[in-house]
């Protein structure tokens, strides 16, 4: 089980990989105690079945320069194959300022090919590669050295079986004429904005029920402070203070240390020092915003705006069209999308690109009364009106 621990060895493998059409990639990392993931291991494999065709890269070795790896990831002549790539790509963007391209995500490809929603790697290995993955090292501390042989075997399996999975899915997409569908999905993963959280936008992740404009202003300032504090100190945002504490603070709006100390949900460490100071300053900034300049709260979707019967018909249509196309339903449209359509929405991801072809156009025709749904045995068919 080759483990690359020098820059020269990594450069040599990456030079070999650049001569192939693709390279399979995976990472092992830790994130429980940091804001940014700590890269602990990189697994790479090229086509072939020799011991030199799949390697581990140990980024924790002192003096190892990952520049050859970043260069390979940026090489447009080599497709980078991942399974469930989002977290891996975030690490590559954060650590190496590179997003692998061209990119092929086997989890997304499997959804396009009808393997279900968010299908796991083990499932694809079993169904396509007719193999199995040893799960014994799944929950392990990848930062500890030395790595055991069991850990190394587990890590390499994540890229060796992936070669067979990739070849199969790529061929199936080509047969079905859906390679372009996958390319549409990869565009989001290739966008650096996918992996960057701007502190001023952090409040948008909060779940707020019927908030007032002032509440939103305070919550936005608190969320921005927390995000900036977590990023600059590389600690999880929940270590600064949790969402429930943030919402409590936005409601109570403490003005001094005494009022801050009355919080039920704020951890003891957050009631002093830089965090306490940051909280009070954030609240003060929000309180100083003139009424006419307060942000508008996100408007909840009024249930009475949703045509419930139409929403149910759209669910039937989505299920029928997904089965017909052999594509996972959630990849086409979400339950929230269907409610939006039933409430009058006429634009969204569900009606762009290949989704419009598979579902969006018929969804609009159903809303406009130009088609009906009918049962034919165990199938649902579309009836023009």
């Amino acid at each position: 089980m080759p483990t690359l621990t020098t820059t020269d060895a990594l450069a040599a493998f990456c030079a070999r990989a650049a001569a192939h059409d693709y390279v399979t990639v995976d990472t092992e990392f830790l994130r429980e105690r940091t804001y940014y993931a700590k890269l602990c291991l990189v697994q790479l494999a090229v086509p072939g079945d020799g011991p030199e065709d799949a390697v581990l890269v140990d980024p924790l070795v002192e003096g190892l320069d990952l520049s050859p790896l970043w260069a390979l990831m940026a090489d447009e002549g080599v497709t980078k194959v991942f399974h469930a790539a989002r977290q891996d790509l975030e690490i590559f963007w954060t650590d190496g300022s590179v997003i692998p391209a061209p990119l092929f995500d086997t989890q997304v490809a499997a959804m396009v090919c009808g393997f279900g929603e968010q299908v796991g790697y083990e499932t694809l290995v079993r169904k396509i590669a007719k193999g199995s993955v040893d799960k014994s090292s799944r929950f392990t501390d990848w930062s500890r050295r030395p790595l055991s042989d069991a850990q190394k075997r587990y890590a390499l399996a994540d890229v060796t079986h992936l070669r067979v999975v990739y070849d199969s899915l790529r061929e199936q997409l080509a047969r079905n004429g859906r390679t372009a569908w996958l390319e549409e999905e990869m565009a989001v993963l290739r966008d650096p904005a996918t992996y960057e959280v701007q502190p001023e936008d952090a409040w948008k992740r909060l779940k707020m029920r019927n908030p007032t404009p002032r509440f939103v202003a305070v919550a936005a300032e608190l969320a921005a402070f927390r995000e900036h504090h977590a990023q600059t100190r590389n600690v999880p945002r929940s270590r600064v203070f949790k969402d429930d504490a943030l919402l409590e603070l936005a409601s109570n709006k403490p003005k001094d240390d005494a009022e801050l100390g009355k919080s039920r949900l704020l951890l003891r460490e957050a009631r002093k020092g830089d965090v306490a100071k940051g909280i009070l300053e954030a609240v003060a900034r929000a309180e100083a915003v003139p009424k006419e300049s307060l942000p508008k709260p996100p408007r909840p979707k009024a249930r009475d705006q949703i045509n419930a019967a139409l929403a149910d018909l759209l669910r039937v249509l989505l299920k029928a069209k997904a089965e017909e196309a052999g594509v996972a339903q959630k990849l086409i449209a979400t339950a929230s999308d269907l409610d939006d359509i039933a409430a009058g929405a006429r634009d969204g991801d569900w009606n762009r690109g290949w989704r419009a072809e598979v579902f969006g156009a018929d969804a609009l025709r159903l809303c406009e009364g130009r088609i009906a749904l009918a049962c034919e045995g165990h199938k649902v068919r579309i009836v023009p009106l």
Side-chain angles (χ1 to χ4, degrees), residues 218-291:
V218 179
E221 287 288 352
L222 287 168
F225 160 70
R226 180 178 68 171
E227 203 72 23
H228 182 264
H229 188 89
Q231 289 177 349
T232 55
R233 288 160 177 78
N234 196 23
V235 296
R237 62 176 67 89
S238 61
R239 285 270 298 276
V240 185
F241 46 83
K242 298 181 186 295
D243 284 357
D244 56 358
L246 187 154
L247 297 176
E248 180 192 46
L249 293 167
S251 179
N252 294 339
K253 306 177 187 64
K255 296 179 177 59
D256 52 39
D257 289 337
E259 292 186 6
L260 188 64
K262 296 177 182 178
S263 171
R264 294 184 305 109
L265 301 175
L266 196 63
L267 296 175
R268 182 180 303 172
E269 293 77 9
R271 303 182 189 211
K272 57 187 177 182
D274 291 343
V275 175
K277 180 182 177 183
I279 290 172
L280 295 175
E281 290 177 348
V283 172
R285 283 194 300 272
E287 289 280 64
V289 175
K291 185 176 181 180

Side-chain angles (χ1 to χ4, degrees), residues 51-104:
E52 71 284 357
D53 295 323
V55 299
L56 304 174
V57 181
D58 190 347
L60 301 185
V61 173
E62 185 175 353
L64 178 62
D65 183 357
L66 293 179
S67 295
L69 175 64
W70 307 142
L72 176 62
M73 293 300 106
D75 188 336
E76 293 282 348
V78 184
T79 298
K80 271 63 72 173
V81 182
F82 294 78
H83 181 83
R86 189 178 181 118
Q87 292 191 83
D88 302 313
L89 300 185
E90 181 181 352
I91 294 171
F92 285 8
W93 176 245
T94 301
D95 289 7
S97 299
V98 62
I99 294 181
L103 177 65
F104 190 105

Side-chain angles (χ1 to χ4, degrees), residues 167-378:
D167 285 336
S168 176
L169 291 175
R170 178 182 56 175
E171 292 172 6
Q172 189 169 336
L173 288 170
R175 285 197 308 270
N176 296 340
R178 295 181 180 177
T179 301
W181 293 18
L182 182 68
E183 282 301 307
E184 286 186 37
E185 301 309 300
M186 294 300 98
V188 175
L189 291 177
R190 290 195 301 265
D191 184 355
T194 301
Y195 313 103
E196 296 175 346
V197 179
Q198 302 300 329
E200 60 269 23
D201 295 328
W203 69 274
K204 296 176 182 178
R205 303 170 122 189
L206 299 172
K207 295 180 180 179
M208 298 181 284
R209 294 185 178 180
N210 302 321
T212 64
R214 184 68 64 184
F215 182 97
V216 174
V218 179
E221 287 288 352
L222 287 168
F225 160 70
R226 180 178 68 171
E227 203 72 23
H228 182 264
H229 188 89
Q231 289 177 349
T232 55
R233 288 160 177 78
N234 196 23
V235 296
R237 62 176 67 89
S238 61
R239 285 270 298 276
V240 185
F241 46 83
K242 298 181 186 295
D243 284 357
D244 56 358
L246 187 154
L247 297 176
E248 180 192 46
L249 293 167
S251 179
N252 294 339
K253 306 177 187 64
K255 296 179 177 59
D256 52 39
D257 289 337
E259 292 186 6
L260 188 64
K262 296 177 182 178
S263 171
R264 294 184 305 109
L265 301 175
L266 196 63
L267 296 175
R268 182 180 303 172
E269 293 77 9
R271 303 182 189 211
K272 57 187 177 182
D274 291 343
V275 175
K277 180 182 177 183
I279 290 172
L280 295 175
E281 290 177 348
V283 172
R285 283 194 300 272
E287 289 280 64
V289 175
K291 185 176 181 180
E292 61 273 13
S293 301
L294 290 172
K296 293 182 179 180
R299 296 182 62 182
K301 200 180 304 173
R303 300 305 300 176
D304 57 6
Q305 292 178 351
I306 300 173
N307 183 329
L310 177 57
D312 288 341
L313 286 175
L314 287 165
R315 285 172 172 77
V316 174
L317 176 66
L318 176 60
K319 181 175 175 58
K321 298 296 287 185
E323 289 179 351
E324 178 185 320
V327 180
Q329 290 184 51
K330 281 188 178 178
L331 193 61
I332 302 173
T334 65
S336 179
D337 289 334
L338 300 182
D339 286 343
D340 287 344
I341 300 169
R346 294 297 176 263
D347 185 41
D349 289 342
W350 53 270
N351 197 31
R352 299 191 187 105
W354 67 268
R355 290 177 175 84
E357 175 188 341
V358 171
F359 170 74
D362 281 334
L364 294 181
R365 284 194 281 267
L366 181 65
C367 294
E368 294 162 0
R370 293 194 286 145
I371 61 172
L373 303 179
C375 287
E376 192 174 79
H378 294 292

Side-chain angles (χ1 to χ4, degrees), residues 114-116 119-132 165 168:
F115 281 86
V119 60
Y121 179 64
E122 293 87 353
T123 300
L124 292 181
V125 169
R126 185 177 67 254
K127 290 185 175 181
I128 295 177
K130 309 303 179 185
S132 62
V165 172
S168 176

